[in-house]
Amino acid sequence: MTDKNAGKLPTQSIDLKMLETEFYNPSSQPAKVKFGTSGHRGALGSGFCALHAKAIAQAVAKMHLEENIKGKVLVGGDTRLMSKVTAELCACVLAGNGIEVSLPSIPVPTPVFSFEILSKRVVACLNGTASHNPPQDMGLKYNPSTGGPADSSITSKIEKYANYFMQNESEIKFISLDEAKKRGLIDVPDIIGNYVKALGDKIDFKVIKTAALKAALHPMGGTSLPFFKAIKEYYKLDNVEIVSELQNPSFNFIPLDHDGKTRMDPSSKYPMSPLIDLALSGKYDFAGACDPDADRFGAATSKGGLLSPNHALCVMLNYLADNKKTSKTTAVGRTIGTTHLIDKIAAAKGLRVDEVNVGFKYFVQGLLSGELLMAGEESAGMSAADWVTEKDGMLAVFLLLEIMSNTGQDIAGLYKQLTELYGSPVYTRVDMPVTEEVKAKLKGFNKESLAGLKEVAGEKVLNVRDTDGVKVYLEDSWFLVRPSGTEAIVKFYAETFKGEEHLHKILEEGRKVFGL
């Protein structure tokens, strides 16, 4: 159910002082370190505190020293309340272990961490972010030399070591920032210039500059702000305007999301409502945004309003396949809950589809090899061949702007053309509140337990996948049930190429299959 205040600015202030106090002195027992799809996250206090930051940094230091990993570690974070402090604590711990650190003076976008690693200026990173989660949350993630999110073989080791140091804080090595600088263990790099120049090899800024359209960019209070400004200046984009430079760790200038919480999600119509209004008013042809750590994208156009990430990914794939495909690129990657229209476009372009579990870490090797022309997920993350192995919201925003500039058409119109060629899918994701007992019961479902399932909503069952929740493939439709690892909800995804009525049948009959 949508909260009555969704889309409105918050009227209640977040107690930043209390959150800061909780970070240093949690009022309850700190939770164990647990890496999810992208790092350890939790609410400031018992969910994420100073001890978490120091323990994870010490775990990384122990791993680097044991495995003889040489080179600097890039440490930074986004624009959240305790991101800067978290980065500094991590830097002090790494330096205390004799490890050299690059510690930028400004907040760092997630894709830039990956860019710096792949550019060989650093060997790994610690990134303080909780992505688009509410301002009360904080997190920390580790990327190894591949530039992308660490796989489970690495994160399980970090978890093990970090939880030991959570219980044995006295074994964490720590020196002050001043001492680390005196010892030459910390440098302050320029993280803007190299990224901005390299982006010109992926995006045709000349066509954007000369296009007869006007674009708005909104950093949503996040790390993309100095990068948007540098890109605009370096490529002389007079037709691109940055419509907000507000930065405040309460993020009180972002309209509340569907559940009444402040959530800086650039793919949700509620936080994005001011940008949607700007696009629909006719003042701008295109409006783009990124979440606080700039790894997710959002976009609206004057003719289509807010773009669904699924729709945008399809348009980007079609454009990349027609304009930027190379002999190395043989496939497109998508996560298990992302639209199958991608599959139809890929088949027409001679590309294989790699369907992976949720988590960008599963795309890293394909992006590194250049095999994947594009990797995308329905939650507004994407990257492309010969670029970073993380999601890059800034790349996505400027790619969409390039597509509009180069084709002279609205993204919504280009998507409609694709549906006329390949069929028009109807897609939904429903977050269903459930008890822990129901979640436990759902974990008992797998491919074998559904072997007797032959038909759903009038379509034959073609296959069942149980690697990340349970996905049922039908003739021209599919549905997926994934219990949340952190909340008392089940995520139910469904898509059909047979219209809204058929989607409702899938939802109804699919729920019965799992007893929901």
Side-chain angles (χ1 to χ4, degrees), residues 87-138:
E88 290 175 347
L89 289 173
C90 289
C92 291
V93 170
L94 292 173
N97 285 270
I99 295 172
E100 291 183 282
V101 176
S102 279
L103 184 67
S105 59
I106 63 170
V108 187
T110 286
V112 175
F113 282 100
S114 182
F115 177 80
E116 288 294 303
I117 292 171
L118 295 176
S119 298
K120 307 296 185 185
R121 282 182 283 275
V122 294
V123 296
C125 74
L126 276 169
N127 177 6
T129 180
S131 190
H132 61 286
N133 282 26
Q136 295 92 332
D137 288 2
M138 185 54 197

Side-chain angles (χ1 to χ4, degrees), residues 358-433:
V358 174
F360 222 74
K361 61 188 175 184
Y362 298 109
F363 295 130
V364 170
Q365 292 305 320
L367 287 169
L368 271 179
S369 68
E371 182 182 4
L372 292 179
L373 175 65
M374 186 189 84
E377 53 187 17
E378 55 85 23
S379 54
M382 70 82 64
S383 190
D386 301 318
W387 191 236
V388 298
T389 48
E390 271 280 11
K391 301 184 288 283
D392 191 343
M394 295 182 289
L395 171 74
V397 165
F398 283 109
L399 179 58
L400 289 168
L401 187 51
E402 177 189 331
I403 293 170
M404 282 188 63
S405 300
N406 206 14
T407 64
Q409 297 185 63
D410 191 282
I411 299 296
L414 292 170
Y415 177 76
K416 187 172 185 297
Q417 291 174 24
L418 292 174
T419 63
E420 289 168 352
L421 281 173
Y422 305 113
S424 183
V426 187
Y427 178 100
T428 191
R429 187 186 108 180
V430 181
D431 291 351
M432 304 167 57

Side-chain angles (χ1 to χ4, degrees), residues 430-484:
V430 181
D431 291 351
M432 304 167 57
V434 294
T435 63
E436 288 300 321
E437 289 76 16
V438 171
K439 282 179 67 176
K441 179 183 174 183
L442 284 171
K443 290 179 181 178
F445 284 91
N446 55 34
K447 189 170 185 174
E448 286 71 30
S449 65
L450 294 180
L453 185 66
K454 302 300 182 185
E455 184 179 293
V456 176
E459 287 193 291
K460 290 181 182 178
V461 174
L462 302 181
N463 193 19
V464 175
R465 174 173 175 158
D466 59 8
T467 60
D468 187 2
V470 179
K471 182 173 182 177
V472 178
Y473 302 79
L474 307 174
E475 293 170 276
D476 216 12
S477 316
W478 59 270
F479 61 97
L480 165 68
V481 173
R482 292 182 65 244
S484 170

Side-chain angles (χ1 to χ4, degrees), residues 29 42 55 70 88 114 116 139 201 209 260 264 270 302 307 347 352 376 433 442-443 445 462 474 498 506:
Q29 181 70 27
K70 302 290 187 181
E88 290 175 347
S114 182
E116 288 294 303
D201 295 329
K209 177 182 176 181
M264 300 72 72
Y270 300 107
S302 58
L307 300 174
R352 187 185 75 254
L442 284 171
K443 290 179 181 178
F445 284 91
L462 302 181
L474 307 174
K498 294 186 173 181
I506 292 173

Side-chain angles (χ1 to χ4, degrees), residues 61 94 107 214 219 297-299 488:
L94 292 173
K214 191 165 186 182
F297 69 91

